[in-house]
């Protein structure tokens, strides 16, 4: 189980592409409302560990999921929901968010 940002970065640094698995929900959302997403984009961004701005551990249906924020630009952040099981990384879903809006709701 990942407890710190450094542990998450180490895991992502070492993960092999063949151990990254995209769940059906990712494709469902991509088709319906997130056409800008691709497997290539998500993999590329999660491997750029210096752009990770933070993460939250979440418990959903007795599973531990991680919500990871990755800086895309000065305007946008990519949010990726993922699950780690053994040596595999499951991408549940992802979306980009406008950083100015994000800051407004945090206040």
């Amino acid at each position: 189980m990942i407890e710190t940002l450094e542990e998450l970065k180490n895991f992502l640094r070492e993960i092999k592409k063949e151990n990254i698995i995209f769940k059906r929900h990712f494709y469902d959302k991509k088709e319906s409302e997130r056409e800008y997403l691709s497997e290539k984009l998500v993999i590329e961004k999660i491997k750029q560990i210096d752009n990770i701005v933070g993460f939250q551990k979440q418990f959903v249906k007795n599973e531990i999921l991680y919500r990871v924020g990755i800086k895309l630009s000065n305007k946008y952040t990519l949010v990726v929901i993922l699950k780690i099981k053994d040596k595999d990384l499951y991408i549940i879903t992802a979306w980009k968010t406008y950083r100015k809006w994000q800051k407004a709701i945090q206040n």
Side-chain angles (χ1 to χ4, degrees), residues 2-9 52-58 65-69 80:
I2 305 289
E3 296 293 337
T4 67
L5 184 57
E6 199 55 43
E7 287 176 340
L8 177 66
K9 287 181 176 183
I52 296 175
V53 293
F55 83 104
Q56 295 174 330
K57 187 166 47 169
Q58 302 173 328
L65 302 180
Y66 299 92
R67 180 180 177 146
V68 181
V80 182

Side-chain angles (χ1 to χ4, degrees), residues 3-43:
E3 296 293 337
T4 67
L5 184 57
E6 199 55 43
E7 287 176 340
L8 177 66
K9 287 181 176 183
N10 287 338
F11 180 84
L12 295 176
R13 185 181 293 116
E14 301 298 323
I15 190 84
K16 294 179 174 74
K17 188 175 179 180
E18 57 267 16
N19 293 98
I20 300 174
I21 301 153
F22 287 81
K23 300 293 270 181
R24 176 82 191 144
H25 185 71
F26 174 84
Y27 298 108
D28 291 344
K29 285 294 187 180
K30 179 184 175 345
E31 289 174 10
S32 65
E33 57 195 58
R34 300 174 189 156
E35 298 87 18
Y36 55 86
L37 285 178
S38 69
E39 287 182 14
K40 181 181 176 189
L41 172 75
V42 173
I43 292 170

